[in-house]
Every structure is written in C-alpha cells, then in structure tokens.
C-alpha cells in the first residue's frame, strides 16, 4: 500500500488533518518496507516511531484505528495514565503486548509486526519539584526499552521480540505551543527570496523540536525514540459540520439508517449542523460532543416514531425548533399522538 493510497482510505473516515495523514502514511509505509527486508539489512535501519500531538477529540485515536483496520495488522491501544498509576509498570506493559498477541490470533510472529498506540503520553511528564524516579519518568524508562526492541517473556512462556512493533504515541501536550513560542526568541525562518516556499517555511517554524518536548517534561532518551512528529489541528466549525455529514459512518448517515429501519425518511437542514458545531466548539472537547448533542436532538423524535407508523418523513430545520412531520395519510403538518 503506497502512502497516497493510505491517505485516500483515511480520507473516507477522518476529516481534515491532511499533514498528519501524510506523515503517518509515510511512516507506516516505510516501517513495513523496512521489516520486509532481510533481517541483517533492516536491523541497520532505525525504526521510526511516531508521535501525534493534538487537542482532545481531533481524531488521533480515530486515525490510528482506521489505519489498523486498513492495514490488517494487529493493533492495540494503551493509556499511558493507567501505566503510571500502577506499581507494576512492566507487568502492565506485558499485558499490552499480550493483548497484541490475542489480536494476532495467538500468533506471536504476527504480533511482532503489529502497532501499539500509547495514548495520553503527555501525562507522563516530569514536573518540577517531583523527585527523580517519579512514576511518569519511570514509565518513560520502561517504555523506552520496549520501543527500542526487547525480548519480553509472555505468560505462555514464549518470547516476543518488540523490535519490529511500530509504536505510535499520542497526547494533547497542553502548553507546548507556549514552549515552542518562547524558545524561538521571536525569530524563525523567513523568506529571503521570492523562490522560497512559504509553506515550507511555515512548516519549519511550527515544527516541534525535541528540546521543546524535553522542556515539556519528556526525558531526552524518550523524545529521541519518537523522531516523527505529526500535529493535529483544532477543528473549526466547517470541519465539525463535515465530520457529522461526510464520513461513510457519519452520525447523520447512521441516524438516517435508523429511521429508514422504521420506514421514515429523516432530513436535517445544513443549518442544524452548523448550530451543533457552534455548541461543540464551546464545549472544547473537539468532535467528541457532536454525537451527544445530535442524539439529544433526535431522541424525542425516535421516541415518537414507533408509535406513529403514519409518519413518512421528518425534517429538522433548527436545533431550537420542533421538527416537522409529513404523514402518509395527510401530507400536511398534522398533530401527532404523543
Ligand atoms: N478529524 C476527524 N474526522 C472525523 N471524525 C473525527 C475527527 N476528529 C474527531 N472525530 C470524532 O470524534 C471522536 C473522538 O475523536 P478521537 O477519539 O480520535 O480523539 P483524540 O484526538 O484521540 O482525543 P483524545 O486526545 O481525547 O484521546 C471520534 O470517534 C470521531 O467520531
Ligand atoms: Mg485518543
């Protein structure tokens, strides 16, 4: 699968985040190219684990999950926070690898080429005043080992080699922008000739440097294992509207199906999606609150429909108005039994 093909597939489910899609697609493509080489050769090429940085609800997990189904490789997600809240970090990490083997149908060799997504990695940051060896830091050290490639003994007694597992880490990294801004001292790359590409300059200037991550609280060895960094943008209103309506499994499509099962046609005015997006932006949880708001709007209608088999069509024209109904018997707005 070429990177461009991977991006095209991701486009069907993940809205926007073009730069991140490309970075991830290339990383995955190169990774599987590398492990397909003879072992001696591939061992000489460094593995490139990936770090995804972006606010909550902007599609990090969604992109990784979509990717894994696409690639048909075993994929598991782990929360860095739950690793930090246990005294038995290594056991917890082993449990994650065991789950990967399960996903591979018990075939260790298949699991060894899988993907592990570690979410909320930013929660492992070392904060000032914390003593050395604090939980976050020790989790970073434990993760380092398996990210590098280690032999891990499984419950079955078999050994698992983590060298060819691709690790993708994700986190919101709240406050990182301030760190980046404070460390560029106001200067950056500026165009010196007409031929300079402004896009490339912008990219260089917003680049996250390993030193920024270090200032944030990741240990240098850890940032060193995450050479590829993809940033996710905050979602604007238009992107949220597209998220509700465009993907194959969008909320709108899902509910239209639900109504179709009742033999009812549901239509929602584009204006409603804009209203929902406005609310979601206020809630500051990215696209996460879209579904809840939409469901809240639709639930009263879904309550009515099964009792009123006469309903043929439902149209929602505003989040703040009652929907209008077209009845099979009288195609005008007739009163409904409630
Ligand atoms: N770019 C996007 N395209 C399509 N849907 C999206 C996008 N971003 C978020 N969503 C929707 O919002 C939900 C939450 O997104 P996701 O789980 O990917 O967030 P996240 O970036 O991993 O956030 P967190 O940092 O809180 O884990 C997804 O299930 C999806 O429905
Ligand atoms: Mg997530």
């Amino acid at each position: 699968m070429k990177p461009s093909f991977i991006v095209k597939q991701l486009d069907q489910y993940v809205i926007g985040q073009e730069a991140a899609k490309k970075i991830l697609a290339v990383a995955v493509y190169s990774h599987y190219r590398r492990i397909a080489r003879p072992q001696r050769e591939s061992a000489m090429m460094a593995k490139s684990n990936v770090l995804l940085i972006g606010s909550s609800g902007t599609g990090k997990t969604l992109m990784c999950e979509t990717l894994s189904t696409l690639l048909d490789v075993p994929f598991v997600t782990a929360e860095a926070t739950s690793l930090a809240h246990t005294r038995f970090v290594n056991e917890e990490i082993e449990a994650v690898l065991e789950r990967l083997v399960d996903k591979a149908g018990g075939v260790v060799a298949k699991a060894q080429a899988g993907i592990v997504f570690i979410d909320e990695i930013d929660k492992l940051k070392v904060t000032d005043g914390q003593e050395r060896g604090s939980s976050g830091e020790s989790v970073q050290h434990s993760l380092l080992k398996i990210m590098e490639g280690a032999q891990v003994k499984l419950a079955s007694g078999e050994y698992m080699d983590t060298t060819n597992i691709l690790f993708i880490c994700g986190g919101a990294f709240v406050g990182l922008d301030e760190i980046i801004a404070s460390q560029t001292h106001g200067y950056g790359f500026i165009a010196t000739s007409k031929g300079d590409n402004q896009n490339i300059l912008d990219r260089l200037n917003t680049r996250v440097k390993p030193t920024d991550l270090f200032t944030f609280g990741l240990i240098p060895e850890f940032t060193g294992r995450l050479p590829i960094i993809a940033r996710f943008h905050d979602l604007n209103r238009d992107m949220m509207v597209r998220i509700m309506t465009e993907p194959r499994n969008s909320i709108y499509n899902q509910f239209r199906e639900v109504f179709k099962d009742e033999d009812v046609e549901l239509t929602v005015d584009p204006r409603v999606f804009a209203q929902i997006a406005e609310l979601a932006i206020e809630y500051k949880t990215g696209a996460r609150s879209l579904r809840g708001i939409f469901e809240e709007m639709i639930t009263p209608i879904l309550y009515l429909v099964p009792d009123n088999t006469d309903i043929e069509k439902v149209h929602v024209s505003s989040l703040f108005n009652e929907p209008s109904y077209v009845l099979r018997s009288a195609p005008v707005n007739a009163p409904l039994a409630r």
Side-chain angles (χ1 to χ4, degrees):
M1 265 186 215
K2 291 186 188 153
S4 63
F5 180 80
I6 297 177
V7 169
K8 246 194 219 117
Q9 299 296 311
L10 290 175
D11 281 341
Q12 296 186 12
Y13 299 93
V14 186
I15 300 294
Q17 314 299 13
E18 273 81 17
K21 276 177 192 158
K22 282 188 189 161
I23 293 173
L24 201 58
V26 171
V28 165
Y29 174 78
S30 321
H31 178 72
Y32 287 104
R33 280 289 242 194
R34 186 178 69 83
I35 64 180
R37 286 166 181 267
Q39 207 190 352
R40 237 176 0 131
E41 252 181 73
S42 76
M44 278 159 46
M45 300 164 78
K47 172 163 67 169
S48 295
N49 298 312
V50 187
L51 176 61
L52 309 179
I53 298 178
S55 311
S56 182
T58 51
K60 300 184 294 295
T61 305
L62 177 70
M63 198 182 289
C64 290
E65 273 169 3
T66 310
L67 187 69
S68 75
T69 48
L70 202 82
L71 296 172
D72 191 29
V73 296
F75 174 90
V76 288
T77 303
E79 299 278 327
T81 34
S82 66
L83 296 178
H85 288 147
T86 169
R87 281 168 52 217
F88 309 103
V89 181
N90 290 324
E91 281 87 337
E92 265 314 291
I93 293 177
E94 274 161 44
V96 174
L97 297 175
E98 296 272 5
R99 274 200 282 134
L100 193 64
V101 176
D102 280 348
K103 283 281 177 71
V107 184
V108 176
K110 198 174 172 205
Q112 287 179 164
I115 298 178
V116 174
F117 178 51
I118 306 171
D119 218 345
E120 302 201 52
I121 203 81
D122 50 334
K123 304 282 159 55
L124 298 179
K125 74 173 182 178
V126 185
T127 40
D128 287 340
Q130 228 172 8
E131 79 250 51
R132 268 194 70 85
S134 66
S135 64
E137 187 179 345
S138 66
V139 175
Q140 289 188 47
H141 278 290
S142 303
L143 284 175
L144 257 180
K145 276 181 232 143
I146 60 156
M147 283 165 71
E148 287 261 86
Q151 298 285 332
V152 177
K153 194 173 179 188
L154 301 170
S156 64
E158 271 176 292
Y159 279 90
M160 179 173 188
D161 182 354
T162 65
T163 311
N164 288 334
I165 293 177
L166 182 66
F167 288 89
I168 302 176
C169 296
F173 288 85
V174 177
L176 188 68
D177 277 328
E178 286 72 26
I179 293 173
I180 296 173
S182 71
Q183 297 203 342
T184 47
H185 305 293
Y187 62 79
F189 296 95
I190 51 164
T192 49
S193 75
K194 270 220 175 97
D196 287 351
N197 184 324
Q198 194 57 43
N199 283 340
I200 294 179
L201 294 172
D202 288 345
R203 204 171 70 213
L204 288 173
N205 287 329
T206 52
R207 220 177 145 255
V208 182
K209 298 174 288 307
T211 46
D212 300 327
L213 294 172
F214 175 62
T215 309
F216 181 84
L218 295 187
I219 59 174
E221 301 92 310
F222 194 77
T223 61
R225 301 305 184 283
L226 294 165
I228 303 178
I229 298 175
R231 295 204 72 172
F232 280 61
H233 299 288
D234 285 351
L235 304 171
N236 59 28
R237 198 180 77 173
D238 286 346
M239 285 164 92
M240 297 229 199
V241 170
R242 290 178 57 202
I243 287 172
M244 283 182 278
T245 52
E246 274 181 25
R248 282 180 174 210
N249 56 345
S250 71
I251 306 173
Y252 189 32
N253 287 342
Q254 285 179 31
F255 277 95
R256 280 175 63 91
E257 280 302 313
V258 170
F259 278 81
K260 212 186 253 170
D261 287 342
E262 303 285 337
D263 224 2
V264 174
E265 190 196 351
L266 170 74
T267 48
V268 176
D269 200 274
R271 166 179 164 207
V272 176
F273 293 111
Q275 291 168 334
I276 295 176
E278 287 301 343
L279 277 182
I281 287 171
E282 277 178 39
Y283 295 167
K284 291 194 169 60
T285 49
R288 249 176 228 289
S289 34
L290 296 175
R291 191 181 186 94
I293 304 171
F294 191 88
E295 285 210 44
E296 212 170 285
M297 170 183 90
I298 234 73
T299 304
I301 311 174
L302 264 182
Y303 181 80
L304 280 180
V305 160
D307 287 338
N308 294 275
T309 47
D310 205 21
I311 297 176
E312 188 181 6
K313 294 177 183 172
V314 180
H315 180 72
V316 185
S317 59
S318 164
L319 190 54
F320 310 108
N321 291 339
E322 287 288 326
S324 52
Y325 298 89
V326 173
L327 302 183
R328 288 176 223 282
S329 52
V332 222
N333 283 346
L336 290 170
R338 290 185 192 239

